[in-house]
């Protein structure tokens, strides 16, 4: 069973217990599960289907597998199935199902793993033109009127132009530091407005999430969306 | 002193009265009055006591630099120390007292120090603390007598989160030049952030009026234009405290700190008016003319009834007109020059026509105090004009307008080069770094029209350089027609008390004496005399001190140069610096499981790890001993997910690793692991780990917990440097790992995997990939703790499942989770080192007794060349094992005995000389005695016993023993299933 890096937090949070906040940061009293009056909406997207791949042949391999591969490093594209392909280095990619299409992504990951783990050769060669990269990220979606204010207190990168001019299906991948932690960020426009997705090393999950809530709590009411806590 | 009728542009809100208490007296002001202006309007001229001599002091600058007017404010929510009375708006029901007094402001008992001045020479602190004997007494006395304000530990919590901001052009200073610069940059399309430390924009354009409203009207028009320009954001009550590389500027707003990243920075901070140095220049009522003008126009307060203006520039003449315009009697204008300057002539005529007498060639001799300690007269000598000779003026106010010092600290911090301009008698920028601009008074430009023109040009150039509009050439700075600053406004008096630095109570003679004692460079003079080191950071003293130094040395001022300006150039509240900080902490996916098991946490690099698992009724030592015993006799499990976990891929992967580690990897079989030691170029041990070969071109390896990020970063750098096309993947956070160790480990693991765990199929030091409890795992058969063991690496999101499954199946063997402390003892029993604990920043690979791990016959590895040199030299130190000859002692026994054990870092002695140190030590429950490792000098290592100095200077003897202390031949980690 896959567990979100935030599963322990959600298990113990006042939201999960459906009781008033006790013993939590002051901002916890501002947490909610609805949008009413919320200036921020934070969503745990960690259990989306996802994989990473790397190697000099990764671009061709992904394209052959039918993915929309962004031509430039530090950019991302989303195809009609809602599959995001982020090029986070010249030859390193992150593939994630944003709206459904989990089956397609999982299937590709299986093929990649089978190709890499092919033990027909003795000893196994383990092809190095394309190899899988484990992506167990904490993934957080951020949206709402106070998004830029939140980012201004947490990150030294100016996201305001991206929030203003982002597009629905393509954009830049920003590799930066937020709350002192390395993150990859992508902003896309949705019918609700700009939505930021952050990919964070999962070992920082508790720190990153609780600090984000603390900072965001100063800005107003936060709507927390747990998404899925566990996935069989 | 009186509140004037409504003054155009005044900041106060007369519709709201604010009542407050000052030194026990109930007073009132208006909303938006500063504490100083409200006090001045109430007739209070003495606002504080000076730092050293406790002399009465009043208004000086009214610009945030009046350090003798710091207040302790008690209000709802707590008491605040060191409130700057000259700029902080007074609040309703504030209880205000001057700091640095004993017995109150009026009857300060410490005023006795004014009479003791001859016994407090320059460099007093250095001289007082010179001898050890008197040091404690001096310290006690200073601690009793000094200190500004009191911190209220019960004060209410304030949230002061820091934040970032961004803009194309940051304009610092919203006076006429800054406003013009902001407008010009915005007109060309740049986004502009305009900041000013005052409650409103306008700067001197609003208060240096010359008795008319024309300049103020023009300034108001500039403000209105800026406010009405969408591309300009105006931040008031915000000052720029420091400039950092790449156009980062720290802004201090009332409630938080802002870190601004600008593409261009324009410094338009103006200039600080400077006092003249003469006897009595610190008396309450003697102030900078600009302070008096601020009071007149911002707060509608006349600071005196009858004043003289001591001047040497056009600004002083304008101030005289301002006094007349508001009904302040003008005793005289006292010009230090022999005649009026070219820009002052018209004003001089106007003043004369109004009956004002102007003295020329004036040398102030002494400001005279009245009965209340405030200024009551001025004795001066006139050396030019029609009325020459010595005179005394009766007055209750003296306004000084004798020059300016540019507010160029940020430019200095930005590495601008300055030159001294004689035409303005100030330093002006000679060359500015790319993207940094200066305009207005900082450039030595003082006329209103010229400042606006200079600002417009700077703004247009800053925007143009960023690609907005046309790229323009910066205009040449036109020197002023009339010099705004006197070259040496210093007038010695045989009785002294001519103050140069009002923060530190430094007199003219103090600086002269410091020079005579040899501290005659600007940097040395500053440090010895403390000039410019007070809260105002020399804004009113540095230039005069430099002029005095130049005069003493007989050299031009430009040959000396100013002192270094460092951030923060203006004091920043600690609350702002202490605003929310970020300290990332990493947790493994098993963190909540450890918590449930009673983990006692310890930091390990930026992770938190279980030190041990607490057991009710058992001591820490007993709990750790139980964990050790469980591993040695049954089975234990430890979370080692904090280890660095990195993959290397590519045809050159083996070659790459051969260069990085001392071991050989080209011949490492697929499916096997090997220990690796990593050195730096000097042969010093920097890291170690286990390297497993997953395929011909794929390796997976671990690093120490604290070094994972550094190793990964360094590997990337070296791959590029060497031109080796390898692929690196950092899996540290994405994989969990735990070590299942003990005789029953194979049986526990077997229940959850189809992998053949038999010794022949999965031998010691093997690595396999297999499903464990439904998750894809990598399993290494390693023996760090010296038992049959499996290090299971599992993707983060599946880790909890696998952990739970192993604990469940291990229950029948009484599986015991163990923490870092038990692991340390287990590996110590085996004599395995921990890099960073049993080595230090200079321990080379030849000193740790692991020759088997170093393959000197390889073509190359990092550190190899140094080791070849070191091989031929005598060893500096060597790692030895030792035991304490006290078998049978258990952790719970005699605490007195326990205290006589060595601890890590205790010194090993050779006679009286230090011969090394203990690196690891502990009580082994397996062996029933204390064991340890130490880095010692080779001659000591040869002996049978070592002497160790333990706590309280006591020395004990330990017995040298060759590790490993347990299972010397490693049979327990290599063998198959034990019965």
């Amino acid at each position: 069973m896959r567990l979100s890096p935030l599963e322990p937090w959600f298990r113990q949070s006042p939201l999960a217990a459906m009781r008033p906040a006790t013993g939590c940061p002051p901002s916890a009293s501002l947490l909610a599960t609805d949008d009413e009056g919320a200036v921020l909406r934070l969503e745990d997207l960690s259990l989306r289907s996802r994989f990473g791949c790397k190697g000099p042949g990764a671009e061709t391999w992904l394209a052959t597998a039918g993915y929309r591969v962004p031509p430039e490093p530090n950019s991302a594209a989303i195809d009609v199935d809602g599959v995001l392909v982020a090029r986070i280095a010249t030859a390193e990619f992150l593939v994630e199902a944003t709206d459904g299409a989990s089956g397609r992504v999982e299937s590709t990951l299986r093929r990649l793993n089978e190709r890499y783990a092919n033990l027909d050769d003795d000893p196994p060669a383990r092809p190095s033109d394309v190899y899988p990269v484990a992506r167990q990220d904490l993934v957080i979606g951020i949206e709402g009127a106070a998004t830029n204010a939140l980012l201004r207190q947490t990150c030294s990168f100016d996201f305001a132009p991206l929030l203003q001019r982002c597009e629905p299906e393509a954009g830049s991948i920003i590799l930066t530091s937020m709350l002192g932690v390395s993150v990859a960020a992508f902003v896309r426009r949705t019918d609700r407005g700009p939505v930021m997705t952050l990919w964070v090393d999962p070992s920082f999950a508790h720190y990153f999430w609780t600090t984000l809530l603390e900072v965001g709590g100063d800005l107003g009411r936060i709507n927390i969306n747990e998404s899925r806590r566990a996935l069989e | 002193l009186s509140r004037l009728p409504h003054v155009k542009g005044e900041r106060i809100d007369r519709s709201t009265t604010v009542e407050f208490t000052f030194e026990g007296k109930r007073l009132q002001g208006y909303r938006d009055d500063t504490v100083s202006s409200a006090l001045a309007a109430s007739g209070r001229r003495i606002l504080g006591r000076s730092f050293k001599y406790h002399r009465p002091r009043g208004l000086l600058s009214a610009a945030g630099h009046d350090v003798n007017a710091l207040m302790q404010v008690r209000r709802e929510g707590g008491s605040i120390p060191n409130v700057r009375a000259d700029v902080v708006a007074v609040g309703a029901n504030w209880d205000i007292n001057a700091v640095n007094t004993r017995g109150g402001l009026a009857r300060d008992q410490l005023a006795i120090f004014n009479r003791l001045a001859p016994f407090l020479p320059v460099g007093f602190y250095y001289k007082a603390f010179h001898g050890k004997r008197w040091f404690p007494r001096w310290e006690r006395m200073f601690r009793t007598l000094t200190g500004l304000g009191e911190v209220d530990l019960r004060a209410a919590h304030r949230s002061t989160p820091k934040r970032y901001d961004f803009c194309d052009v940051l304009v610092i200073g919203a006076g006429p030049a800054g406003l013009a610069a902001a407008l010009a940059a915005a007109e060309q399309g740049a986004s502009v952030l305009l900041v000013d430390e005052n409650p409103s924009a306008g700067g001197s354009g609003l208060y240096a009026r010359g008795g008319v409203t024309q300049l103020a009207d023009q300034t108001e028009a500039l403000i209105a234009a800026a406010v009405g320009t969408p591309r300009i954001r105006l931040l008031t009550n915000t000052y720029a405290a420091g400039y950092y590389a790449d156009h980062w500027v720290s802004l201090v707003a009332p409630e938080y700190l802002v870190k601004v990243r600008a593409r261009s920075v324009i410094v338009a901070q103006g200039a600080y008016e400077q006092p003249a140095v003469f006897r009595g220049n610190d008396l309450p009522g003697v102030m900078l003319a600009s302070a008096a003008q601020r009071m007149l126009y911002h707060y509608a307060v006349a600071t005196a009834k009858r004043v003289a203006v001591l001047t040497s520039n056009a600004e002083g003449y304008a101030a005289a007109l301002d006094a007349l315009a508001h009904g302040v009697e003008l005793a005289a204008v006292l010009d230090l020059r022999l005649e009026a300057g070219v820009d002052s002539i018209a004003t001089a005529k106007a003043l004369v026509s109004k009956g004002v007498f102007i003295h020329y060639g004036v040398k102030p001799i002494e400001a005279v105090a009245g009965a209340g300690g405030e200024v009551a007269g001025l004795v001066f000598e006139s050396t030019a004009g029609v009325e020459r000779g010595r005179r005394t003026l009766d007055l209750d106010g003296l306004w000084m307008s004798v020059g300016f010092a540019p507010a160029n600290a940020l430019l200095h911090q930005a590495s601008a080069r300055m030159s001294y301009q004689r035409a303005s008698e100030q330093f002006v920028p000679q060359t500015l770094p790319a993207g940094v601009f200066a305009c207005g008074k900082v450039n030595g430009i003082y006329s209103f029209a010229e400042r606006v023109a200079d600002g417009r040009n700077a703004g247009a150039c800053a925007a143009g350089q960023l690609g907005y509009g046309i790229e323009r050439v910066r205009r040449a700075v036109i020197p002023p027609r009339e010099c705004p600053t006197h070259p040496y406004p210093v007038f010695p008096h045989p009785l002294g008390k001519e103050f140069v630095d009002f923060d530190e109570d430094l007199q003219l003679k103090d600086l002269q004496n410091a020079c005579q004692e040899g501290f005659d460079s600007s940097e040395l003079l500053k440090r010895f005399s403390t000039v410019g080191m007070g809260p105002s950071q020399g804004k009113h003293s540095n230039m005069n001190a430099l002029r005095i130094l130049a005069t003493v040395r007989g050299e031009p001022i430009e040959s000396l140069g100013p002192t270094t300006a460092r951030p923060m150039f203006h004091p920043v509240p600690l609350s702002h610096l202490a605003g929310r900080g970020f300290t990332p902490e990493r947790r493994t996916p098993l963190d909540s499981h450890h918590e449930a098991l009673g983990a006692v946490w310890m930091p390990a690099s930026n992770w938190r790890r279980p030190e041990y698992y607490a057991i009710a009724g058992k001591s820490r030592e007993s709990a750790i001993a139980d964990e050790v015993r469980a591993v040695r006799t049954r089975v234990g499990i430890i979370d080692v997910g904090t280890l660095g976990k990195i993959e290397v891929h590519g045809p050159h992967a083996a070659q790459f690793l051969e260069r990085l580690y001392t071991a050989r990897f080209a011949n490492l079989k697929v499916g096997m692991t090997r220990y690796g030691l990593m050195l730096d170029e000097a042969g010093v041990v920097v890291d170690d780990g286990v390297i497993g070969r997953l395929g011909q071109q794929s390796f997976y390896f671990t690093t120490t917990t604290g070094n994972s990020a550094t190793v990964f970063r360094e590997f990337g750098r070296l791959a590029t440097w060497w031109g080796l096309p390898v692929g690196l993947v950092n899996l540290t956070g994405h994989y969990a790992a735990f070590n299942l160790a003990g005789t029953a480990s194979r049986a526990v693991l077997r229940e959850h995997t189809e992998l053949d765990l038999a010794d022949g199929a999965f031998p010691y030091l093997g690595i396999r990939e297999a499903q464990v409890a439904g998750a894809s795992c990598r399993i290494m058969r390693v023996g760090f703790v010296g038992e049959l063991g499996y290090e299971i690496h599992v993707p983060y999101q599946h880790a909890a499942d696998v952990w739970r499954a192993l604990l469940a199946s291990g229950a029948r063997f009484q599986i015991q989770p163990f923490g870092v402390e038990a692991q340390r003892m287990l590996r110590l029993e085996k004599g395995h080192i921990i890099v960073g604990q049993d080595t230090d920043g200079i321990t080379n690979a030849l000193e740790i007794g692991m020759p088997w791990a170093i393959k000197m016959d390889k073509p190359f590895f990092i550190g190899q060349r140094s080791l070849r040199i070191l091989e031929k030299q005598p060893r500096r130190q060597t790692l030895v094992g030792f035991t304490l000859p006290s078998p049978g002692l258990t952790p719970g026994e005699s605490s007195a005995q326990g205290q006589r054990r060595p601890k890590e870092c205790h010194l090993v002695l050779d006679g009286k000389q230090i011969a090394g140190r203990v690196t690891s030590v502990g009580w082994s429950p397996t062996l029933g005695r204390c064991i340890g490792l130490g880095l010692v000098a080779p001659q000591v290592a040869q002996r049978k016993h070592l002497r160790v100095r333990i706590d309280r200077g006591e020395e004990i003897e330990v017995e040298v023993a060759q590790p490993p202390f347990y299972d010397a031949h490693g049979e327990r980690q290599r063998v198959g299933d034990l019965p």
Side-chain angles (χ1 to χ4, degrees), chain A residues 70-144:
Chain A
E72 298 293 330
N74 296 338
S75 61
I78 299 175
D79 66 15
V80 289
D81 288 346
V83 175
L84 173 142
V85 178
R87 189 169 197 155
I88 52 182
T90 307
E92 183 170 358
F93 298 87
L94 164 67
V95 180
E96 183 170 291
T98 62
D99 298 314
S102 291
R104 187 178 152 205
V105 171
E106 298 285 350
S107 160
T108 311
L109 174 58
R110 271 195 300 278
R111 286 208 307 279
L112 178 62
N113 281 333
E114 285 165 7
R115 181 178 186 273
Y116 179 71
N118 184 358
L119 303 180
D120 289 346
D121 299 333
D122 186 21
R126 301 277 185 178
S128 59
D129 61 333
V130 190
Y131 41 91
V133 174
R135 299 297 313 212
Q136 301 282 304
D137 306 60
L138 163 71
V139 185
I140 298 174
I142 304 175
E143 59 186 280

Side-chain angles (χ1 to χ4, degrees), chain B residues 394-469:
Chain B
D394 292 332
L395 42 75
D396 65 348
L398 178 65
W399 298 358
M400 300 178 284
S401 181
V402 298
F404 299 87
N408 57 16
L410 294 180
L411 293 174
H412 278 291
Q413 291 164 18
S415 302
R417 288 183 60 196
M418 299 287 173
S419 62
Y420 195 77
Q421 185 189 63
R422 282 286 163 195
S424 59
E425 293 288 354
Q426 72 173 55
F427 286 99
V428 294
Q430 187 177 21
T431 47
L432 289 166
V436 176
F437 299 83
C439 62
K441 289 180 180 175
V442 174
N443 275 342
I445 296 170
Y446 282 79
S447 86
F448 187 93
E450 277 296 311
R451 278 188 281 157
V452 170
D454 194 39
R456 285 204 64 82
N457 180 250
C461 287
Q465 196 180 69
L466 299 176
Y468 296 103

